[in-house]
Amino acid sequence: MRVRSLVAAVAIACATSVAAQEVGKPAPAFDLPGAPKAVRLADLKGRVVYVDFWASWCAPCKQSFPWMNDMQAKYGPRGLSIVGVTVDKKREDAEKFLASTPAKFLVGFDTTGKVAEVYKPAGMPTSFLIGADGKVRAVHVGFRDKDKADLEREIEAALTAAGKK
């Protein structure tokens, strides 16, 4: 009986998280200390933004960084900005991760958890694709090699919709 209660509680929590991510709604603004500079969503207005919540202890996050670096290099000139938001409580933990897994995109440090509280990532990593209109177009939980092509197609579609060829 306890297992069923736990499964029901997890299902409710997941359903709540998905509803809180609000695909089709304006992306919540944020302003975070970053590397090399502060990261403000408002500064990226008019660009397609891929916001990726990650943590230093997350194995799939280590796999996603090279792909995000490639996407930033390939689509940055067309109007894509990738923003990695670490949820690590200690900035030093995130910086250690970044020393071994470099980011060639903006990184924001959400050490207080306030941005994550608003976005409600359902796991690590969780990414939010935000269109040039500022609305959330897609949400992805986790990172798997088999998802790369679909994620890239979504980025291309967002750039095309924004008229960024």
Side-chain angles (χ1 to χ4, degrees), residues 68-156:
M68 289 189 293
N69 287 336
D70 291 345
M71 294 299 99
Q72 183 62 61
K74 184 174 182 178
Y75 295 106
R78 285 184 52 195
L80 174 68
S81 288
I82 294 184
V83 178
V85 177
T86 178
V87 298
D88 284 301
K89 300 288 182 225
K90 295 181 187 169
R91 184 170 172 155
E92 309 82 59
D93 292 341
E95 287 173 342
K96 272 189 222 169
F97 177 96
L98 292 168
S100 65
T101 311
K104 296 177 183 171
F105 47 83
L106 296 170
V107 173
F109 298 93
D110 187 22
T111 57
T112 64
K114 290 184 181 183
V115 175
E117 190 176 300
V118 173
Y119 275 80
K120 299 188 184 331
M124 289 296 123
T126 294
S127 61
F128 297 82
L129 182 62
I130 302 167
D133 62 358
K135 293 181 181 174
V136 177
R137 292 180 57 99
V139 179
H140 294 277
V141 179
F143 184 83
R144 293 166 291 286
D145 280 340
K146 67 182 181 97
D147 297 334
K148 289 178 183 179
D150 289 339
L151 293 168
E152 186 169 358
R153 274 192 291 278
E154 287 179 359
I155 289 170
E156 287 177 331

